[in-house]
Amino acid sequence: MSEQDSVPGSLLGVLEIGEEEIAEVVRVLRRKTMFRFLHDEATSESAQLERWYREQVGTDYALALGGGGTGALICALVGLGIGSGDEVIVPGYTYIATAAACLMVGAIPVLAEIDASLTLDPADVEAKIGPHTRAVIPVHMRGTPARMDAIRAIADRKGIQVLEDCAQANGASYQGRPVGSWGHAGAFSLQHYKVVTAGEAGVVTTSDPEVYRRAAIRHDSAMQFWREDADWPSFAGENMRLDELRAALALVQVRRIGGILSVCRSIKARLREGVRDLPGVRLQELPCAEGDCGITFAFFLPDPATARTFSEKLEARGVPTATIYNKRIPDRHIYTAWDYVLGQKTHDPSGWPWTAARRPIAYDRDMLPRTLDLLGRCLAIGINQQWRPHHADRVVEAIRSVHEELGLG
């Protein structure tokens, strides 16, 4: 594969940064007012970003903050009333921040299996619900929406809260409804590696006024003083306020989501169509193909040894693939590497939050065998808006060539 036709990388929004983003940031700098509450709702970039998310996600409230997706998860958990000793179900395949956010509010993460969609398995969610379970966090992993109808139905039946981790799925939808609107709250990220970026920023979405206000207080310990028109709860928060610089960057970026995902979706469909007939190759299940972001093409091989060899041979043909062997699926996304979760480590001399657990909690590296089996056989290829049909065709050609060489089927 020639350098000219090499497969593009997987960075997304950051590649779109251009003169429009620069002009907006410079405009805010020249204004010399970075603090959002020096402006009214019509002129604050942060407020406009919140309005954009309310309109696009379809929730009554949106809270923009500067703490990234992790901060959004933390504030959303506080908004939902999750605290010390509460158990929260999270998938074993997600960025470690999903579990870390639980620990930061004193909650105990309960790890659950994924299925062939690479998202949370609803059946295991139901199996893991116990008397102390207060919430579940389905993660729309690698831009693929989780099975939200099944998860929400289970949660409603069991009386637990649903917090959607939408960090990797800005612009995704499920059954025609945007992610971030299925749960009692949603958490988005605009970090460097996401669909669109503000460097580091996050957004909480919800239609519950109490969830919004509690999340807002957590993100800003003085929130009730900036918003004197509302009956705000009163408890200590911190400073995750979003500054106007990053909000201005984000406002340009979010308008690029449609264009980015349109290209990615068409490329992913082309890749899937090109290899779906190959024996021994199982495509990732897509709970909602139309709403999938299209930013990752994933498939499974019959066993780990074949997956490893297949990946190496694709690499030799100029097609980089993410596997648990070459670490392009970083360890921090797989529960076996979450040392402070598995080892129940903490910064607190009292041992909190582990000492708040209401039952004995134990983790081990083999506790999610189905997740490890799926990831051990999975090859993932990142897609971005720089791909063109000939790139997809070359990847299909390489996959089919390796398949023939290995005699699969």
Side-chain angles (χ1 to χ4, degrees):
M1 190 175 295
S2 68
E3 183 176 347
Q4 181 180 358
D5 293 326
S6 62
V7 178
S10 56
L11 286 173
L12 294 151
V14 71
L15 299 179
E16 296 290 311
I17 294 176
E19 292 305 315
E20 188 176 359
E21 283 90 344
I22 293 169
E24 285 301 294
V25 171
V26 169
R27 179 180 61 80
V28 173
L29 283 171
R30 286 178 172 154
R31 195 176 65 195
K32 298 182 181 179
T33 49
M34 317 301 182
F35 183 41
R36 66 170 296 179
F37 295 119
L38 292 174
H39 306 276
D40 59 28
E41 295 289 302
T43 57
S44 162
E45 276 74 22
S46 301
Q48 291 176 58
L49 181 63
E50 291 169 342
R51 184 182 310 117
W52 188 93
Y53 271 91
R54 289 196 302 269
E55 293 173 353
Q56 296 300 313
V57 176
T59 53
D60 293 337
Y61 303 94
L63 173 69
L65 47 82
T70 309
L73 287 167
I74 291 169
C75 291
L77 285 165
V78 171
L80 294 168
I82 306 301
S84 286
D86 292 337
E87 295 183 9
V88 179
I89 297 173
V90 302
Y93 178 44
T94 178
Y95 186 54
I96 192 172
T98 311
C102 298
L103 296 173
M104 291 302 294
V105 302
I108 307 299
V110 173
L111 308 189
E113 299 272 23
I114 61 170
D115 60 24
S117 69
L118 299 176
T119 70
L120 199 53
D121 179 5
D124 200 45
V125 169
E126 186 152 22
K128 296 288 171 63
I129 293 174
H132 309 301
T133 307
R134 290 286 312 285
V136 57
I137 306 181
V139 180
H140 306 304
M141 194 64 181
R142 290 179 169 265
T144 295
R147 303 181 195 276
M148 290 308 304
D149 52 347
I151 293 170
R152 183 63 197 252
I154 293 167
D156 288 348
R157 189 169 67 250
K158 297 291 188 177
I160 65 174
Q161 308 265 32
V162 178
L163 168 55
E164 294 177 75
D165 185 334
C166 310
Q168 300 185 19
N170 236 315
S173 63
Y174 185 75
Q175 297 181 354
R177 183 172 161 184
V179 300
S181 67
W182 278 86
H184 299 92
F188 292 82
S189 173
L190 291 95
Q191 191 264 351
H192 176 88
Y193 289 103
K194 301 306 187 288
V195 174
V196 289
T197 184
E200 292 283 358
V203 178
V204 175
T205 55
T206 185
S207 287
D208 186 320
E210 184 65 14
V211 172
Y212 167 72
R213 290 173 182 172
R214 286 177 56 86
I217 289 290
R218 178 59 190 255
H219 114 290
D220 181 355
S221 58
M223 188 72 180
Q224 67 268 42
F225 300 108
W226 312 125
R227 297 286 181 83
E228 296 177 356
D229 59 324
D231 181 19
W232 291 92
S234 183
F235 56 82
E238 50 194 297
N239 180 8
M240 295 188 194
R241 289 191 301 260
L242 181 63
D243 62 82
E244 297 287 83
L245 284 172
R246 283 179 289 177
L249 173 56
L251 270 173
V252 179
Q253 283 271 298
V254 293
R255 294 193 288 267
R256 303 191 187 280
I257 291 175
I260 291 171
L261 296 190
S262 176
V263 174
C264 294
R265 286 167 173 155
S266 66
I267 293 296
K268 182 167 181 173
R270 194 178 187 99
L271 290 168
R272 287 173 65 87
E273 184 61 31
V275 303
R276 67 170 59 254
D277 64 316
L278 295 178
V281 173
R282 180 186 179 188
L283 296 178
Q284 173 197 17
E285 292 180 9
L286 301 181
C288 181
E290 297 78 13
D292 188 279
C293 286
I295 59 176
T296 303
F297 170 58
F299 59 95
F300 305 95
L301 280 305
D303 55 73
T306 302
R308 188 167 194 163
T309 301
F310 207 106
S311 173
E312 291 169 352
K313 290 185 177 296
L314 283 179
E315 294 272 352
R317 288 167 168 80
V319 179
T321 60
T323 73
I324 64 173
Y325 311 109
N326 61 22
K327 306 305 181 187
R328 285 198 180 94
I329 297 179
D331 283 349
R332 57 188 172 271
H333 291 80
I334 306 171
Y335 80 93
T336 51
W338 298 351
D339 66 315
Y340 58 76
V341 176
L342 272 59
Q344 300 187 23
K345 300 177 181 178
T346 176
H347 69 282
D348 194 295
S350 74
W352 182 89
W354 305 107
T355 51
R358 297 172 189 144
R359 65 180 176 94
I361 298 292
Y363 305 95
D364 67 75
R365 292 174 55 86
D366 301 318
M367 65 187 296
L368 301 180
R370 188 179 182 197
T371 295
L372 296 181
D373 172 63
L374 286 166
L375 294 178
R377 297 185 291 110
C378 180
L379 273 63
I381 299 173
I383 300 168
N384 69 15
Q385 68 275 23
Q386 293 184 337
W387 283 62
R388 297 295 177 262
H390 73 274
H391 294 124
D393 293 343
R394 285 183 174 273
V395 171
V396 168
E397 179 185 359
I399 291 172
R400 299 187 74 92
S401 172
V402 172
H403 185 274
E404 180 178 4
E405 180 181 342
L406 295 181
L408 295 179

